[in-house]
PDB file of all heavy atoms in Angstrom:
ATOM      1  N   GLN D   7      18.285  10.518  11.619  1.00 95.00           N
ATOM      2  CA  GLN D   7      18.053   9.119  11.251  1.00 95.00           C
ATOM      3  C   GLN D   7      17.893   8.222  12.481  1.00 95.00           C
ATOM      4  O   GLN D   7      17.095   7.291  12.479  1.00 95.00           O
ATOM      5  CB  GLN D   7      19.172   8.600  10.349  1.00 95.00           C
ATOM      6  CG  GLN D   7      19.111   9.156   8.958  1.00 95.00           C
ATOM      7  CD  GLN D   7      17.770   8.902   8.283  1.00 95.00           C
ATOM      8  OE1 GLN D   7      17.207   7.816   8.359  1.00 95.00           O
ATOM      9  NE2 GLN D   7      17.233   9.933   7.646  1.00 95.00           N
ATOM     10  N   GLU D   8      18.640   8.522  13.538  1.00 95.00           N
ATOM     11  CA  GLU D   8      18.494   7.758  14.788  1.00 95.00           C
ATOM     12  C   GLU D   8      17.102   7.956  15.380  1.00 95.00           C
ATOM     13  O   GLU D   8      16.483   6.998  15.852  1.00 95.00           O
ATOM     14  CB  GLU D   8      19.549   8.187  15.806  1.00 95.00           C
ATOM     15  CG  GLU D   8      20.935   7.688  15.511  1.00 95.00           C
ATOM     16  CD  GLU D   8      21.941   8.140  16.566  1.00 95.00           C
ATOM     17  OE1 GLU D   8      21.573   8.182  17.759  1.00 95.00           O
ATOM     18  OE2 GLU D   8      23.081   8.450  16.188  1.00 95.00           O
ATOM     19  N   VAL D   9      16.625   9.185  15.359  1.00 92.00           N
ATOM     20  CA  VAL D   9      15.288   9.477  15.890  1.00 92.00           C
ATOM     21  C   VAL D   9      14.221   8.760  15.063  1.00 92.00           C
ATOM     22  O   VAL D   9      13.320   8.122  15.611  1.00 92.00           O
ATOM     23  CB  VAL D   9      15.033  11.002  15.925  1.00 92.00           C
ATOM     24  CG1 VAL D   9      13.580  11.309  16.253  1.00 92.00           C
ATOM     25  CG2 VAL D   9      15.956  11.677  16.924  1.00 92.00           C
ATOM     26  N   VAL D  10      14.335   8.838  13.744  1.00 90.00           N
ATOM     27  CA  VAL D  10      13.377   8.165  12.861  1.00 90.00           C
ATOM     28  C   VAL D  10      13.395   6.658  13.112  1.00 90.00           C
ATOM     29  O   VAL D  10      12.341   6.023  13.214  1.00 90.00           O
ATOM     30  CB  VAL D  10      13.685   8.484  11.375  1.00 90.00           C
ATOM     31  CG1 VAL D  10      12.884   7.581  10.443  1.00 90.00           C
ATOM     32  CG2 VAL D  10      13.402   9.942  11.085  1.00 90.00           C
ATOM     33  N   SER D  11      14.570   6.083  13.254  1.00 91.00           N
ATOM     34  CA  SER D  11      14.688   4.642  13.500  1.00 91.00           C
ATOM     35  C   SER D  11      14.061   4.258  14.836  1.00 91.00           C
ATOM     36  O   SER D  11      13.384   3.230  14.945  1.00 91.00           O
ATOM     37  CB  SER D  11      16.146   4.208  13.469  1.00 91.00           C
ATOM     38  OG  SER D  11      16.677   4.362  12.183  1.00 91.00           O
ATOM     39  N   ALA D  12      14.275   5.077  15.858  1.00 87.00           N
ATOM     40  CA  ALA D  12      13.700   4.792  17.181  1.00 87.00           C
ATOM     41  C   ALA D  12      12.183   4.832  17.133  1.00 87.00           C
ATOM     42  O   ALA D  12      11.510   3.984  17.732  1.00 87.00           O
ATOM     43  CB  ALA D  12      14.228   5.786  18.209  1.00 87.00           C
ATOM     44  N   ILE D  13      11.621   5.791  16.416  1.00 83.00           N
ATOM     45  CA  ILE D  13      10.160   5.884  16.302  1.00 83.00           C
ATOM     46  C   ILE D  13       9.628   4.701  15.506  1.00 83.00           C
ATOM     47  O   ILE D  13       8.663   4.047  15.914  1.00 83.00           O
ATOM     48  CB  ILE D  13       9.749   7.217  15.640  1.00 83.00           C
ATOM     49  CG1 ILE D  13      10.054   8.378  16.587  1.00 83.00           C
ATOM     50  CG2 ILE D  13       8.272   7.201  15.256  1.00 83.00           C
ATOM     51  CD1 ILE D  13       9.924   9.742  15.959  1.00 83.00           C
ATOM     52  N   ASN D  14      10.240   4.409  14.376  1.00 83.00           N
ATOM     53  CA  ASN D  14       9.758   3.323  13.517  1.00 83.00           C
ATOM     54  C   ASN D  14       9.923   1.953  14.158  1.00 83.00           C
ATOM     55  O   ASN D  14       9.180   1.027  13.824  1.00 83.00           O
ATOM     56  CB  ASN D  14      10.463   3.365  12.168  1.00 83.00           C
ATOM     57  CG  ASN D  14       9.982   4.521  11.316  1.00 83.00           C
ATOM     58  OD1 ASN D  14       8.894   5.053  11.523  1.00 83.00           O
ATOM     59  ND2 ASN D  14      10.791   4.925  10.359  1.00 83.00           N
ATOM     60  N   ALA D  15      10.877   1.798  15.069  1.00 85.00           N
ATOM     61  CA  ALA D  15      11.093   0.506  15.724  1.00 85.00           C
ATOM     62  C   ALA D  15       9.886   0.101  16.565  1.00 85.00           C
ATOM     63  O   ALA D  15       9.583  -1.080  16.694  1.00 85.00           O
ATOM     64  CB  ALA D  15      12.338   0.561  16.594  1.00 85.00           C
ATOM     65  N   LYS D  16       9.187   1.076  17.123  1.00 82.00           N
ATOM     66  CA  LYS D  16       8.024   0.770  17.961  1.00 82.00           C
ATOM     67  C   LYS D  16       6.712   0.812  17.197  1.00 82.00           C
ATOM     68  O   LYS D  16       5.704   0.319  17.678  1.00 82.00           O
ATOM     69  CB  LYS D  16       7.962   1.739  19.138  1.00 82.00           C
ATOM     70  CG  LYS D  16       9.064   1.506  20.137  1.00 82.00           C
ATOM     71  CD  LYS D  16       8.814   2.273  21.394  1.00 82.00           C
ATOM     72  CE  LYS D  16       9.817   1.844  22.454  1.00 82.00           C
ATOM     73  NZ  LYS D  16       9.464   2.332  23.765  1.00 82.00           N
ATOM     74  N   MET D  17       6.702   1.396  16.017  1.00 84.00           N
ATOM     75  CA  MET D  17       5.475   1.497  15.242  1.00 84.00           C
ATOM     76  C   MET D  17       5.193   0.149  14.574  1.00 84.00           C
ATOM     77  O   MET D  17       6.044  -0.392  13.866  1.00 84.00           O
ATOM     78  CB  MET D  17       5.581   2.593  14.193  1.00 84.00           C
ATOM     79  CG  MET D  17       4.258   2.865  13.518  1.00 84.00           C
ATOM     80  SD  MET D  17       4.318   4.265  12.403  1.00 84.00           S
ATOM     81  CE  MET D  17       4.634   5.591  13.544  1.00 84.00           C
ATOM     82  N   LYS D  18       4.035  -0.387  14.813  1.00 89.00           N
ATOM     83  CA  LYS D  18       3.693  -1.709  14.281  1.00 89.00           C
ATOM     84  C   LYS D  18       2.988  -1.634  12.934  1.00 89.00           C
ATOM     85  O   LYS D  18       3.126  -2.508  12.110  1.00 89.00           O
ATOM     86  CB  LYS D  18       2.813  -2.462  15.279  1.00 89.00           C
ATOM     87  CG  LYS D  18       3.475  -2.689  16.618  1.00 89.00           C
ATOM     88  CD  LYS D  18       4.721  -3.508  16.480  1.00 89.00           C
ATOM     89  CE  LYS D  18       5.381  -3.739  17.816  1.00 89.00           C
ATOM     90  NZ  LYS D  18       6.622  -4.441  17.726  1.00 89.00           N
ATOM     91  N   VAL D  19       2.173  -0.582  12.715  1.00 91.00           N
ATOM     92  CA  VAL D  19       1.433  -0.436  11.471  1.00 91.00           C
ATOM     93  C   VAL D  19       1.794   0.916  10.866  1.00 91.00           C
ATOM     94  O   VAL D  19       1.662   1.942  11.522  1.00 91.00           O
ATOM     95  CB  VAL D  19      -0.096  -0.503  11.711  1.00 91.00           C
ATOM     96  CG1 VAL D  19      -0.856  -0.356  10.411  1.00 91.00           C
ATOM     97  CG2 VAL D  19      -0.481  -1.792  12.409  1.00 91.00           C
ATOM     98  N   GLY D  20       2.245   0.919   9.627  1.00 88.00           N
ATOM     99  CA  GLY D  20       2.661   2.153   8.973  1.00 88.00           C
ATOM    100  C   GLY D  20       1.510   2.940   8.382  1.00 88.00           C
ATOM    101  O   GLY D  20       1.563   3.335   7.229  1.00 88.00           O
ATOM    102  N   CYS D  21       0.482   3.177   9.168  1.00 90.00           N
ATOM    103  CA  CYS D  21      -0.692   3.925   8.715  1.00 90.00           C
ATOM    104  C   CYS D  21      -0.457   5.413   8.939  1.00 90.00           C
ATOM    105  O   CYS D  21      -0.073   5.839  10.022  1.00 90.00           O
ATOM    106  CB  CYS D  21      -1.923   3.474   9.495  1.00 90.00           C
ATOM    107  SG  CYS D  21      -3.415   4.406   9.152  1.00 90.00           S
ATOM    108  N   THR D  22      -0.717   6.210   7.897  1.00 88.00           N
ATOM    109  CA  THR D  22      -0.563   7.657   8.016  1.00 88.00           C
ATOM    110  C   THR D  22      -1.831   8.343   8.493  1.00 88.00           C
ATOM    111  O   THR D  22      -1.822   9.532   8.766  1.00 88.00           O
ATOM    112  CB  THR D  22      -0.165   8.269   6.665  1.00 88.00           C
ATOM    113  OG1 THR D  22      -1.233   8.046   5.733  1.00 88.00           O
ATOM    114  CG2 THR D  22       1.129   7.674   6.144  1.00 88.00           C
ATOM    115  N   GLY D  23      -2.934   7.603   8.565  1.00 90.00           N
ATOM    116  CA  GLY D  23      -4.204   8.193   8.990  1.00 90.00           C
ATOM    117  C   GLY D  23      -4.869   9.009   7.898  1.00 90.00           C
ATOM    118  O   GLY D  23      -5.711   9.862   8.183  1.00 90.00           O
ATOM    119  N   CYS D  24      -4.536   8.761   6.642  1.00 94.00           N
ATOM    120  CA  CYS D  24      -5.071   9.559   5.535  1.00 94.00           C
ATOM    121  C   CYS D  24      -6.564   9.334   5.318  1.00 94.00           C
ATOM    122  O   CYS D  24      -7.240  10.172   4.750  1.00 94.00           O
ATOM    123  CB  CYS D  24      -4.306   9.266   4.252  1.00 94.00           C
ATOM    124  SG  CYS D  24      -4.623   7.629   3.543  1.00 94.00           S
ATOM    125  N   GLY D  25      -7.086   8.181   5.746  1.00 94.00           N
ATOM    126  CA  GLY D  25      -8.510   7.894   5.593  1.00 94.00           C
ATOM    127  C   GLY D  25      -8.886   7.316   4.243  1.00 94.00           C
ATOM    128  O   GLY D  25     -10.066   7.156   3.942  1.00 94.00           O
ATOM    129  N   TYR D  26      -7.904   6.993   3.406  1.00 94.00           N
ATOM    130  CA  TYR D  26      -8.183   6.430   2.081  1.00 94.00           C
ATOM    131  C   TYR D  26      -8.982   5.128   2.185  1.00 94.00           C
ATOM    132  O   TYR D  26      -9.777   4.822   1.309  1.00 94.00           O
ATOM    133  CB  TYR D  26      -6.869   6.199   1.331  1.00 94.00           C
ATOM    134  CG  TYR D  26      -7.044   5.722  -0.090  1.00 94.00           C
ATOM    135  CD1 TYR D  26      -7.454   6.605  -1.080  1.00 94.00           C
ATOM    136  CD2 TYR D  26      -6.815   4.398  -0.433  1.00 94.00           C
ATOM    137  CE1 TYR D  26      -7.615   6.177  -2.383  1.00 94.00           C
ATOM    138  CE2 TYR D  26      -6.981   3.960  -1.738  1.00 94.00           C
ATOM    139  CZ  TYR D  26      -7.379   4.854  -2.710  1.00 94.00           C
ATOM    140  OH  TYR D  26      -7.550   4.431  -3.998  1.00 94.00           O
ATOM    141  N   CYS D  27      -8.799   4.406   3.266  1.00 95.00           N
ATOM    142  CA  CYS D  27      -9.488   3.126   3.460  1.00 95.00           C
ATOM    143  C   CYS D  27     -10.929   3.301   3.960  1.00 95.00           C
ATOM    144  O   CYS D  27     -11.652   2.321   4.128  1.00 95.00           O
ATOM    145  CB  CYS D  27      -8.708   2.269   4.452  1.00 95.00           C
ATOM    146  SG  CYS D  27      -8.467   3.078   6.053  1.00 95.00           S
ATOM    147  N   MET D  28     -11.325   4.526   4.194  1.00 96.00           N
ATOM    148  CA  MET D  28     -12.646   4.802   4.732  1.00 96.00           C
ATOM    149  C   MET D  28     -13.592   5.235   3.608  1.00 96.00           C
ATOM    150  O   MET D  28     -13.155   5.790   2.623  1.00 96.00           O
ATOM    151  CB  MET D  28     -12.548   5.900   5.797  1.00 96.00           C
ATOM    152  CG  MET D  28     -11.691   5.516   6.977  1.00 96.00           C
ATOM    153  SD  MET D  28     -12.256   4.077   7.874  1.00 96.00           S
ATOM    154  CE  MET D  28     -13.706   4.715   8.680  1.00 96.00           C
ATOM    155  N   PRO D  29     -14.871   4.995   3.729  1.00 96.00           N
ATOM    156  CA  PRO D  29     -15.523   4.343   4.852  1.00 96.00           C
ATOM    157  C   PRO D  29     -15.383   2.829   4.757  1.00 96.00           C
ATOM    158  O   PRO D  29     -15.418   2.259   3.681  1.00 96.00           O
ATOM    159  CB  PRO D  29     -16.979   4.770   4.710  1.00 96.00           C
ATOM    160  CG  PRO D  29     -17.168   4.977   3.239  1.00 96.00           C
ATOM    161  CD  PRO D  29     -15.842   5.482   2.735  1.00 96.00           C
ATOM    162  N   CYS D  30     -15.228   2.223   5.911  1.00 96.00           N
ATOM    163  CA  CYS D  30     -15.138   0.765   5.984  1.00 96.00           C
ATOM    164  C   CYS D  30     -16.555   0.193   5.865  1.00 96.00           C
ATOM    165  O   CYS D  30     -17.470   0.657   6.540  1.00 96.00           O
ATOM    166  CB  CYS D  30     -14.515   0.364   7.314  1.00 96.00           C
ATOM    167  SG  CYS D  30     -14.550  -1.416   7.627  1.00 96.00           S
ATOM    168  N   PRO D  31     -16.746  -0.836   5.037  1.00 96.00           N
ATOM    169  CA  PRO D  31     -18.081  -1.427   4.901  1.00 96.00           C
ATOM    170  C   PRO D  31     -18.586  -2.073   6.189  1.00 96.00           C
ATOM    171  O   PRO D  31     -19.788  -2.284   6.347  1.00 96.00           O
ATOM    172  CB  PRO D  31     -17.927  -2.461   3.776  1.00 96.00           C
ATOM    173  CG  PRO D  31     -16.460  -2.698   3.655  1.00 96.00           C
ATOM    174  CD  PRO D  31     -15.767  -1.478   4.157  1.00 96.00           C
ATOM    175  N   LYS D  32     -17.688  -2.338   7.121  1.00 96.00           N
ATOM    176  CA  LYS D  32     -18.079  -2.927   8.410  1.00 96.00           C
ATOM    177  C   LYS D  32     -18.095  -1.884   9.519  1.00 96.00           C
ATOM    178  O   LYS D  32     -18.175  -2.213  10.693  1.00 96.00           O
ATOM    179  CB  LYS D  32     -17.129  -4.069   8.793  1.00 96.00           C
ATOM    180  CG  LYS D  32     -17.111  -5.209   7.809  1.00 96.00           C
ATOM    181  CD  LYS D  32     -18.423  -5.952   7.816  1.00 96.00           C
ATOM    182  CE  LYS D  32     -18.338  -7.155   6.881  1.00 96.00           C
ATOM    183  NZ  LYS D  32     -19.571  -7.902   6.845  1.00 96.00           N
ATOM    184  N   ASN D  33     -18.007  -0.591   9.139  1.00 95.00           N
ATOM    185  CA  ASN D  33     -18.043   0.532  10.082  1.00 95.00           C
ATOM    186  C   ASN D  33     -16.913   0.514  11.109  1.00 95.00           C
ATOM    187  O   ASN D  33     -17.089   0.948  12.239  1.00 95.00           O
ATOM    188  CB  ASN D  33     -19.399   0.623  10.783  1.00 95.00           C
ATOM    189  CG  ASN D  33     -20.510   0.924   9.815  1.00 95.00           C
ATOM    190  OD1 ASN D  33     -20.348   1.762   8.927  1.00 95.00           O
ATOM    191  ND2 ASN D  33     -21.632   0.236   9.947  1.00 95.00           N
ATOM    192  N   VAL D  34     -15.759   0.023  10.697  1.00 94.00           N
ATOM    193  CA  VAL D  34     -14.582   0.025  11.565  1.00 94.00           C
ATOM    194  C   VAL D  34     -13.797   1.304  11.302  1.00 94.00           C
ATOM    195  O   VAL D  34     -13.561   1.667  10.149  1.00 94.00           O
ATOM    196  CB  VAL D  34     -13.692  -1.211  11.294  1.00 94.00           C
ATOM    197  CG1 VAL D  34     -12.390  -1.142  12.076  1.00 94.00           C
ATOM    198  CG2 VAL D  34     -14.451  -2.484  11.607  1.00 94.00           C
TER     199      VAL D  34
END
C-alpha cells in the first residue's frame, strides 16, 4: 500500500492507456 500510494502521489492523470478514447477526432 505504501508503494501504491507513492506511485499514485506523483501520477497526475489516471489513464491506463487502454485506447478507449481513440481515435481522437483531432488526431491527438
Side-chain angles (χ1 to χ4, degrees):
Q7 287 304 316
E8 286 180 37
V9 171
V10 169
S11 294
I13 291 170
N14 287 339
K16 290 192 171 192
M17 189 174 295
K18 300 299 180 184
V19 180
C21 175
T22 63
C24 71
Y26 185 75
C27 57
M28 298 300 288
C30 172
K32 299 292 184 180
N33 296 318
V34 174

